[in-house]
Amino acid sequence: MPVLSVFYGITIYLNTRGEHNPPHIHAKYGEYEAAFEIASGDLIGEFPRRQTRLIQAWIEIHREDLMINWEIARSAGECSRIAPLI
């Protein structure tokens, strides 16, 4: 699974296997793993509140890049890295 970004101990990646709708990213932080919808930033699963807010802010900043990566990943299975939240 291609890693898109890493920041504050959070790893953001795409699962490029099979059909996955709606467009979303996966995040891992310690023992937590969850998904976040790209369009809304909504959390799918359980994740610590502070890290959820960081990811949602990052999605807001990089929504266009995320959608481009989503489309490329679905067709070619490859992705470009996206700048971390600083």
Side-chain angles (χ1 to χ4, degrees):
M1 290 182 260
V3 173
L4 297 176
S5 194
V6 178
F7 53 90
Y8 300 110
I10 303 165
T11 301
I12 307 291
Y13 61 95
L14 284 176
N15 183 349
T16 57
R17 298 181 204 140
E19 288 290 321
H20 288 84
N21 279 313
H24 63 280
I25 58 169
H26 293 265
K28 182 170 179 154
Y29 177 76
E31 73 267 11
Y32 294 95
E33 286 191 59
F36 291 81
E37 289 187 21
I38 295 172
S40 65
D42 288 345
L43 169 65
I44 304 164
E46 293 186 29
F47 218 71
R49 181 177 293 244
R50 180 174 183 275
Q51 285 71 23
T52 294
R53 290 183 179 167
L54 291 171
I55 294 167
Q56 289 168 332
W58 182 81
I59 289 171
E60 183 71 28
I61 293 166
H62 297 290
R63 186 166 281 123
E64 185 175 336
D65 293 328
L66 289 165
M67 287 306 300
I68 290 168
N69 268 329
W70 175 264
E71 293 302 324
I72 292 170
R74 289 187 62 173
S75 62
E78 298 177 10
C79 297
S80 298
R81 294 284 292 223
I82 299 175
L85 192 62
I86 300 174

